[in-house]
Structures are given as structure tokens and as C-alpha cells.
Amino acid sequence: MKICFATNNSKKIEEVKAALGTEYEVVSLSEIGCFEELPETGDTLDHNAFQKARFVKDHYGVDCFADDTGLEVDSLNGAPGVYSGRFAGEARSDERNISLLLEKMEGKNSRNARFRTVIALILDGKEYSFEGTAEGEILDKKVGSGGFGYDPVFKPLGFDRTFAQLTLAEKNEISHRGKAVKALISFLSNRKF
Ligand code: IMP
């Protein structure tokens, strides 16, 4: 089954391909000839995920799913949340986002945080959504070189390594996106049979 994952983030495509296995052919935006930036103007993860998925369906006519992820830090009242990508500005720099986060966390007692992912799916003219969360804490410095985004400063609950120190398979097993993708796969599998 061929389905477009509405992203240009090769790390995300890799993560989702690994989780979906060979039963599904996941194609990226560039593989369907989409090289424009997708609109993402909402103030909730749900809004943005559906906005991206509908844009692809409307302009490229393919079934697809889109994800939107936010990092919610308790001591920052849930920030950066839906604005995680643009936390330190529109240029979307992981480096600057992490620096700003660590700056804002200085002196905070609670370092609890969670990643939340919403996946919006458009299939055969119908819309569905799936969610996944991963609890953890924000370290006071970067550790590890794998993954992307805030991975080097996020230590998932029950682990003594950051997301950036886990293998792709380990991260997929416990991550927000991994869980949301599992819910998506379970839906797609049940639908087939
Ligand atoms: P987006 O929804 O994929 O645009 O992600 C929003 C922000 O969260 C960006 O700064 C991403 O780098 C970051 N992000 C998304 N997924 C992950 C993840 O699995 N680990 C770390 N950061 C992530």
C-alpha cells in the first residue's frame, strides 16, 4: 500500500519506514513532486497536522498522513508546545532551540516534559487522527549525537540515556511518534482485513 508521509524530514521518514515495515510503501513529499512548504499556522498540534495533510490531498491528490509534534515542559507551562519548531525563531534551528530551552530552564526545580505527536490521516476521503506521548525530563546539557531536534536534551522516563543516545529501534519503541505510528498501523491493518 502506497501512502505519502507529508514531511521532508529524512530522519522522520526513516523512523516511520522502520516502524511500518515492508507492507507499506511510504513516500516522501519530494517523491510525489511536492517541494513547497506546507502551511502550519494553527495553535494546536491537531490543527497543524490536519492542515498539512489536507494541503497535500487537495494539491497533489494522494492519500497521506502528516504529523505535528510538540515538546511540553511542565515548568514552562507547556511551552514550547506547538511552537517547538520555531521556539528560537522562524529559521528553525535545532541548535538555537536547544540553547533557548536550556536558558529558560535555568534554576527550575521540575524538569519534567513530554513529547506529544498527532498524526492526521486522510484515506479514501475520510479523516482520522492518532496520538502518542513520551514522558521524560530535560537535561541541563546536550548528551549524544543521534536523532534530531531536542533529542540530545531529552531523557525518556526509565532510561539513563537521552533520545540522542538510543538506536533508531529503541527510540521507535518508546517515542511519541513511534506510539502514534503504531496506532496508525493498527488502524490500517484492521482496516485491511
Ligand atoms: P515538527 O512538528 O516535526 O515540525 O516538530 C516540531 C519541533 O519538535 C521541531 O523543533 C522538531 O525538531 C522537534 N521534534 C519533533 N520530533 C522530535 C523528536 O522525535 N525528537 C526531538 N525533537 C523532535
Side-chain angles (χ1 to χ4, degrees):
M1 176 182 165
K2 190 172 182 163
I3 193 153
C4 174
F5 182 10
T7 183
N8 276 322
N9 181 330
S10 55
K11 294 269 182 184
K12 280 192 191 177
I13 295 265
E14 203 185 327
E15 281 184 10
V16 166
K17 273 189 172 165
L20 270 171
T22 52
E23 202 177 331
Y24 301 94
E25 188 193 346
V26 181
V27 293
S28 65
L29 285 172
S30 53
E31 285 171 298
I32 60 162
C34 173
F35 298 98
E36 57 194 316
E37 189 146 336
L38 303 183
E40 209 176 336
T41 57
D43 56 9
T44 63
L45 298 175
D46 228 68
H47 181 123
N48 284 348
F50 275 109
Q51 194 179 15
K52 290 186 275 191
R54 287 183 196 128
F55 184 89
V56 170
K57 178 68 186 172
D58 292 348
H59 291 78
Y60 296 87
V62 293
D63 282 336
C64 66
F65 59 92
D67 77 326
D68 206 44
T69 296
L71 175 65
E72 303 169 347
V73 181
D74 289 349
S75 62
L76 301 180
N77 298 316
V82 69
Y83 305 108
S84 297
R86 293 159 278 168
F87 193 36
E90 281 302 327
R92 289 177 178 266
S93 151
D94 288 344
E95 203 63 36
R96 281 201 296 273
N97 284 342
I98 289 179
S99 298
L100 181 60
L101 176 65
L102 295 186
E103 200 181 295
K104 286 188 184 285
M105 295 293 290
E106 272 172 31
K108 302 282 187 199
N109 287 328
S110 159
R111 304 195 68 95
N112 294 342
R114 76 204 48 77
F115 278 109
R116 185 184 304 281
T117 291
V118 171
I119 292 180
L121 167 70
I122 300 185
L123 190 61
D124 292 339
K126 290 208 184 84
E127 297 188 341
Y128 309 88
S129 71
F130 309 91
E131 193 174 310
T133 57
E135 297 285 337
E137 62 181 273
I138 306 296
L139 301 185
D140 58 9
K141 60 177 183 337
K142 296 198 280 181
V143 184
S145 55
F148 67 98
Y150 296 90
D151 279 351
V153 292
F154 185 82
K155 187 168 76 66
L157 196 66
F159 281 72
D160 56 6
R161 288 171 292 159
T162 65
F163 265 176
Q165 292 175 294
L166 301 185
T167 64
L168 192 58
E170 283 173 327
K171 183 182 169 191
N172 262 337
E173 194 59 34
I174 57 162
S175 84
H176 44 298
R177 195 169 25 262
K179 290 175 186 167
V181 167
K182 269 193 202 107
L184 169 74
I185 295 168
S186 153
F187 170 81
L188 291 173
S189 315
N190 288 333
R191 190 178 173 272
K192 275 186 75 180
F193 304 111

